Amino acid sequence: MQVFEKIKDISNFIKELKAQKKTIGFVPTMGFLHEGHLSLMRYAKKVTDVVVVSIFVNPAQFGPKEDFNTYPRDIEGDKGKCLDAGVDILFMPSASEIYPEGYLTYVNVEKITDVMCGASRPGHFKGVATIVAKLFDIVKPDKAFFGQKDYQQTLVIKKMAADLNMDIDVEALPTVREPDGLAMSSRNSYLNEEERKAATCLYWSLTKAEEMIKNGERNSAKIIGDMQKIIEAEKLARIDYITIADAETLEEIKTIDKKAVIALAVWIGKTRLIDNIVVNMK
Ligand code: PAF
């Protein structure tokens, strides 16, 4: 595995690979890798010639009161996991390499970033779109892979890639869950034992929604009401949002009669967790 910290070094290496007509699969991450990330890397390994992973805790996507400083980091552990997953290139730039002094350029995807996590975390998706655009430009991938757990993020990146004519296939792969259903996330490491148990309420609320839909319920308010009850029964949980929205536009829908995303963000103590499912109704 080649490890690069400087843009010019990875760029030169990528140029050589492109000259050899190798296809490049890219998994951008903020590190503290878990099975969700590793599943993306293994998939990338199957469908592209060369797998590039980036590890960069991107300051531009954290609000001033958010967890940038405490975000979990484990560079040595991550390197080992990348090696085991068959990653070919690991890119680990410093903040000053990515945002040198005087940096002024940002990418802003409109509208679909105003709702859901964008409403709770103003500026977050501008930071995400900016770093991913920069990484895409550096890595020049043919395909890039993201987890469905961050549904809105993947939609934003797909839109950015399409609007900016980036010739990159952006793919979302299924959420990887712990045996009790909790979606894997680096932020799960913040949870103490009691909070960890409480955190399964996100999954159970989505399971309830799925079951209601299977039984013929199409009314969003009713489904959200039952999801709310499950979360509110958990004393450590506080709802940030629960929404049922058009899977493409993220506009809320009253009746589930098309492809829809059921998404939620819930505070478990001081940790904000997200999860979602996609349902495809005709
Ligand atoms: O999902 C993440 O880990 C980050 O938002 C990403 C896509 C690596 C951009 O910093």
Side-chain angles (χ1 to χ4, degrees), residues 34 36-37 40 71 116-117 121 146-154 172-177 181-188 202 206 241 261-264 272-278:
H34 51 69
H37 298 115
L40 302 180
Y71 195 84
M116 295 165 55
C117 289
R121 305 182 66 189
F146 297 85
Q148 195 205 294
K149 194 206 64 157
D150 299 297
Y151 184 86
Q152 187 175 14
Q153 167 170 282
T154 310
L173 298 181
T175 302
V176 179
R177 297 181 179 281
L182 177 66
M184 288 201 184
S185 162
S186 305
R187 288 192 169 98
N188 292 350
L202 282 86
L206 289 170
Y241 69 79
V261 58
I262 306 179
L264 74 168
R272 184 176 173 280
L273 299 177
I274 58 173
D275 203 347
N276 68 79
I277 53 170
V278 174

Side-chain angles (χ1 to χ4, degrees), residues 239-281:
I239 296 169
D240 177 4
Y241 69 79
I242 303 181
T243 190
I244 301 184
D246 180 298
E248 303 304 326
T249 65
L250 299 187
E251 279 164 19
E252 286 190 349
I253 53 175
K254 289 196 168 79
T255 306
I256 306 178
D257 54 4
K258 55 172 91 157
K259 189 174 174 194
V261 58
I262 306 179
L264 74 168
V266 175
W267 288 94
I268 304 289
K270 290 194 169 103
T271 306
R272 184 176 173 280
L273 299 177
I274 58 173
D275 203 347
N276 68 79
I277 53 170
V278 174
V279 291
N280 210 344
M281 296 295 136

Side-chain angles (χ1 to χ4, degrees), residues 205-226:
S205 72
L206 289 170
T207 305
K208 175 72 184 173
E210 206 167 27
E211 181 194 304
M212 289 173 84
I213 292 166
K214 251 189 211 140
N215 291 335
E217 185 60 75
R218 295 290 179 270
N219 182 303
S220 297
K222 278 196 187 147
I223 295 168
I224 290 174
D226 276 31

Side-chain angles (χ1 to χ4, degrees), residues 28-30 37 56 58 61 128 131-132 146 150 153 157:
T29 82
M30 297 206 299
H37 298 115
F56 179 64
N58 174 32
Q61 70 188 74
V128 170
I131 187 61
V132 174
F146 297 85
D150 299 297
Q153 167 170 282
I157 291 163

